[in-house]
Amino acid sequence: MSLAQVKDDLKPGLETQPIVNAFSITVGSVNGSGSQTSNLTILRALFKMGIPVSGKNLFPSNIQGLPTWYTIRVNKDGFLARCDESEIVIAMNPATLYKDLHDVQPGGAFFYADDIPLTNKRDDVSIYPMPVKAISRSSSAPTELRDYIANMVYVGVLARMINIDMEKIHLALHFHFKGKTAPIDLNFGVIQKAYDWANENLTKTDPYVVEPMNLTDECILADGNTAAALGSIFGGVQLAAWYPITPASGIAEALIEYMPMFRKDPQEPGKNTFAIVQAEDELAAIGMTIGAGWSGLRAMTSTSGPGLSLMAEYTGLAYFAEIPIVVWDVQRVGPSTGLPTRTAQGDLTFAHFISHGDTQIVILLPGSINECFEFGWKSFDIAERLQTPVFVLSDLDFGMNQWMADKFEYPDTPMERGKVLWEADLERLKGQWARYKDVDGDGVTYRTLPGNRHPNAAYFGRGTGHDENARYSEDNKVWHALLDRLKKKYEKAREFVPAPVIQKEPGAEIGIISFGSTDPAIQEARVELLKKGVKTDFMRVRAMPFCEDVREFIKAHRQNYVIEMNRDGQLHQLISLEYPTEVMKLKSIAYTDGLPLTARFVREAILAEEKI
């Protein structure tokens, strides 16, 4: 269907011009119905047409039966944050039919399975019934698969009505089913039947269409959990211990899928050079990780907020015994069990103050899928350089949703193993060394690893008070000096952690500060604010401890708005603690409802604060 045909078919009173590559599609279905495959097929087909897209899944915290929604944003300008509005809605769930109809924007399109009674319609939207059951029953699918294959009907109808390239649909199925001919042919056959039915029976009266672009040629589609796993693999991870938890399980699952492809012993074909262990709980998982880190392996675990709570004491052990490990926390809504399938940024203060005493944890804060990959390998370098735990805080929106991203940039520098003494080093020192003695003045001491055969290599790794030689001590002066050295090491981390990303607009008096997955919404909001004459600078914090750039950014602005997805403004709190003299220049804009942030919220919140 050409754009001219679309214009000719437009219903009187609706849009008079086609709207191309600038709208959102929402599919309402039932959790466990198999709609995810259909939704990803649409998403990937649009991506393969060269159109910027993002996909967000809103699903309940049960196995099946409750309502679920999937939203695809299509945006020719590359803005891919969540939108409040949907111009196209596909209703497959009788329980939410009228909610879905209500959510369609005026002038939009509403597709629904025609076996669902629709008695109350809207005059300001185009309504398209789809013979879902009839087409699925006419397919060659086994009876037990028809309910799942039925979702492909709306793929075919939508493809016809908004001009999705069927060749790209086929390529998307090929990717999803890993080239297996039988499921590809079965699903594509249903899609083609639905496409042909729509071509013969539906007249397009809404303005929304897609046209090929070339903006995704150098991009990939990926979720943050997979990116984190791949980054960890290229960072040399040797042991991953984990316990299943939403939304972090995808990291371990991706490691299980990809590690065997890349980590085989070249001298002994078929022998793995890694171990992935599903522990009995989160305590065991981090315990195994610490044991592996002490032994010299690059070791990691992954969890979410509830699991992180259980890891607190062991984290203190790793900090105090100075054992390098990496912990990925894919945040979800809390406290307690919270909302396992909703996103938030509520673990920042807990991760910073985790464990008792004066524990201080280095934290990395990826703000894109590319940084999930980058911090996957970089976290190991920092952990081993500093001999300390490093936490990486992602969230459900990054971890489990599909994002368009630049191709990953693989590490181009050797691994940083830090201060490790081997036999030749100890021989040169005549065996005179102390595990916890700071000989370089940077707070970081030297260590040996199991397997070192020098007779003076051994030491006790202690979680109790100890002196420079790793001997038990309750001497007050020794304790004071030890804590001061650990503090010095934390301060040294400022030199190694990723610096904030700073974007400036000439003449801006307003600063925006954030971290993590709020970035897409803020980027879009800044453009909208600029159209209203409001200039803003932007700083996305990428690590703790903070770099000096953070202070300088705050000082350079009349007002700084700290935007984050939690109730209490946790980043705002931590920045205020770090820079108390700058508190009057900081204003918290914190909001959490379990959904990813929108540009509208950011824009309206700042305009309200500025009284514009």
Side-chain angles (χ1 to χ4, degrees):
M1 183 181 296
S2 69
L3 291 185
Q5 288 175 301
V6 171
K7 186 174 180 180
D8 290 341
D9 288 340
L10 287 179
K11 182 181 291 185
L14 300 185
E15 282 283 347
T16 58
Q17 293 293 329
I19 298 176
V20 184
N21 297 346
F23 52 89
S24 289
I25 306 166
T26 293
V27 179
S29 58
V30 176
N31 199 37
S33 66
S35 59
Q36 185 78 336
T37 301
S38 303
N39 300 331
L40 290 176
T41 297
I42 295 170
L43 181 76
R44 290 195 178 106
L46 292 168
F47 175 78
K48 290 177 181 296
M49 289 178 68
I51 307 167
V53 288
S54 65
K56 297 189 185 298
N57 196 13
L58 179 62
F59 59 103
S61 305
N62 75 340
I63 297 174
Q64 63 181 18
L66 292 182
T68 182
W69 289 271
Y70 191 88
T71 298
I72 298 172
R73 185 170 182 191
V74 180
N75 188 271
K76 62 182 184 300
D77 298 317
F79 294 128
L80 300 176
R82 183 179 73 89
C83 277
D84 295 302
E85 311 89 2
S86 289
E87 288 78 13
I88 297 175
V89 173
I90 300 169
M92 298 288 286
N93 184 2
T96 62
L97 179 71
Y98 287 104
K99 178 190 183 304
D100 293 336
L101 178 59
H102 176 270
D103 289 344
V104 186
Q105 288 295 293
F110 182 71
F111 297 83
Y112 73 101
D114 67 0
D115 59 291
I116 306 174
L118 180 64
T119 55
N120 299 318
K121 299 185 179 182
R122 288 175 55 182
D123 294 331
D124 60 344
V125 300
S126 297
I127 297 180
Y128 305 110
M130 303 178 295
V132 173
K133 285 189 175 180
I135 292 177
S136 62
R137 286 170 181 165
S138 68
S139 74
S140 60
T143 304
E144 66 272 15
L145 293 181
R146 284 179 183 170
D147 287 344
Y148 296 98
I149 208 76
N151 293 297
M152 289 298 169
V153 173
Y154 67 75
V155 177
V157 172
L158 184 70
R160 173 63 184 88
M161 299 303 285
I162 69 170
N163 284 350
I164 302 177
D165 188 330
M166 288 291 279
E167 180 183 350
K168 306 305 184 189
I169 292 276
H170 194 275
L171 289 173
L173 291 172
H174 188 277
F175 176 89
H176 183 84
F177 290 109
K178 303 183 187 305
K180 297 176 182 176
T181 303
I184 293 171
D185 290 348
L186 176 62
N187 284 272
F188 190 75
V190 173
I191 293 171
Q192 187 66 60
K193 283 186 177 182
Y195 183 98
D196 294 340
W197 177 90
N199 188 54
E200 295 172 4
N201 294 278
L202 296 181
T203 299
K204 185 174 179 64
T205 55
D206 70 273
Y208 298 101
V209 291
V210 294
E211 278 199 331
M213 301 179 73
N214 60 358
L215 298 184
T216 66
D217 294 348
E218 298 300 319
C219 297
I220 59 173
L221 270 182
D223 63 84
N225 284 344
T226 300
L230 290 171
S232 300
I233 292 171
F234 281 86
V237 64
Q238 294 162 290
L239 177 126
W242 68 298
Y243 183 76
I245 186 170
T246 301
S249 295
I251 293 180
E253 291 163 355
L255 288 172
I256 291 168
E257 179 177 0
Y258 290 109
M259 288 279 267
M261 299 181 187
F262 300 108
R263 303 295 293 281
K264 297 287 187 180
D265 189 333
Q267 305 302 320
E268 298 184 47
K271 181 179 179 181
N272 293 330
T273 61
F274 65 90
I276 302 171
V277 183
Q278 181 176 328
E280 60 266 36
D281 54 33
E282 288 88 352
L283 282 81
I286 194 170
M288 294 174 186
T289 303
I290 292 170
W294 170 82
S295 71
L297 300 182
R298 289 199 152 187
M300 65 177 286
T301 187
S302 55
T303 190
S304 190
L308 199 65
S309 300
L310 296 172
M311 295 180 177
E313 184 178 4
Y314 259 138
T315 298
L317 169 64
Y319 170 81
F320 193 61
E322 301 181 64
I323 297 171
I325 62 170
V326 171
V327 178
W328 275 83
D329 173 25
V330 187
Q331 300 167 94
R332 72 190 204 193
V333 174
S336 188
T337 303
L339 299 177
T341 61
R342 301 292 185 267
T343 195
Q345 296 178 317
D347 295 349
L348 187 60
T349 51
F350 178 61
H352 179 64
F353 294 114
I354 196 170
S355 200
H356 53 282
D358 292 307
T359 308
Q360 289 178 293
I361 299 299
V362 175
I363 300 173
L364 305 187
L365 303 167
S368 67
I369 299 303
N370 295 87
E371 287 181 355
C372 287
F373 176 86
E374 178 188 350
F375 294 177
W377 63 265
K378 192 167 285 185
S379 55
F380 287 112
D381 283 358
I382 296 171
E384 293 207 293
R385 182 191 286 269
L386 297 171
Q387 297 177 30
T388 197
V390 171
F391 283 13
V392 190
L393 267 59
S394 176
D395 62 28
L396 183 145
D397 189 23
F398 270 163
M400 296 188 71
N401 286 327
Q402 293 290 321
W403 292 79
M404 192 177 81
D406 294 330
K407 293 179 181 179
F408 297 149
E409 295 184 7
Y410 299 112
D412 57 1
T413 57
M415 295 179 190
E416 172 58 68
R417 300 307 308 267
K419 297 179 179 180
V420 179
L421 297 174
W422 290 103
E423 289 89 346
D425 304 310
L426 292 174
E427 194 63 35
R428 188 178 66 255
L429 295 170
K430 303 187 185 304
Q432 301 302 306
W433 77 288
R435 170 64 182 99
Y436 295 114
K437 183 176 182 179
D438 181 10
V439 298
D440 299 319
D442 60 1
V444 184
T445 63
Y446 285 82
R447 62 176 176 146
T448 58
L449 302 177
N452 188 320
R453 299 181 181 181
H454 194 282
N456 290 355
Y459 69 90
F460 282 106
R462 291 190 181 275
T464 52
H466 51 266
D467 64 13
E468 292 178 341
N469 292 291
R471 295 176 299 207
Y472 181 79
S473 173
E474 294 192 22
D475 185 289
N476 60 303
K477 293 182 179 178
V478 169
W479 180 261
H480 180 75
L482 173 54
L483 288 189
D484 278 356
R485 179 178 63 76
L486 292 175
K487 178 70 173 180
K488 181 186 293 186
K489 182 165 70 170
Y490 183 77
E491 294 296 324
K492 187 69 175 177
R494 299 181 197 273
E495 300 177 17
F496 306 128
V497 298
V501 172
I502 296 176
Q503 299 168 345
K504 294 188 174 182
E505 184 71 30
E509 297 181 353
I510 298 170
I512 299 175
I513 303 172
S514 78
F515 73 99
S517 65
T518 57
D519 183 86
I522 292 172
Q523 296 289 2
E524 185 175 357
R526 291 183 67 221
V527 173
E528 295 174 357
L529 287 167
L530 190 58
K531 292 177 181 177
K532 293 181 175 292
V534 180
K535 297 180 179 180
T536 62
D537 290 340
F538 177 46
M539 176 175 66
R540 179 165 56 78
V541 176
R542 299 198 294 167
M544 293 184 68
F546 301 124
C547 302
E548 184 60 24
D549 291 349
V550 176
R551 184 202 302 269
E552 296 303 317
F553 183 90
I554 297 168
K555 291 173 64 176
H557 299 95
R558 167 179 57 80
Q559 186 65 270
N560 296 274
Y561 296 107
V562 187
I563 299 174
E564 49 194 311
M565 292 190 302
N566 53 63
R567 185 191 67 186
D568 298 331
Q570 296 181 17
L571 180 62
H572 176 264
Q573 294 172 2
L574 294 172
I575 293 176
S576 298
L577 284 173
E578 184 80 7
Y579 309 112
T581 59
E582 309 300 332
V583 168
M584 298 304 293
K585 288 192 170 188
L586 296 169
K587 176 72 175 179
S588 176
I589 297 178
Y591 180 78
T592 180
D593 62 0
L595 301 177
L597 208 62
T598 66
R600 172 188 285 182
F601 170 80
V602 176
R603 180 192 70 226
E604 296 303 318
I606 290 177
L607 290 176
E609 291 290 342
E610 291 291 313
K611 296 179 172 55
I612 297 174

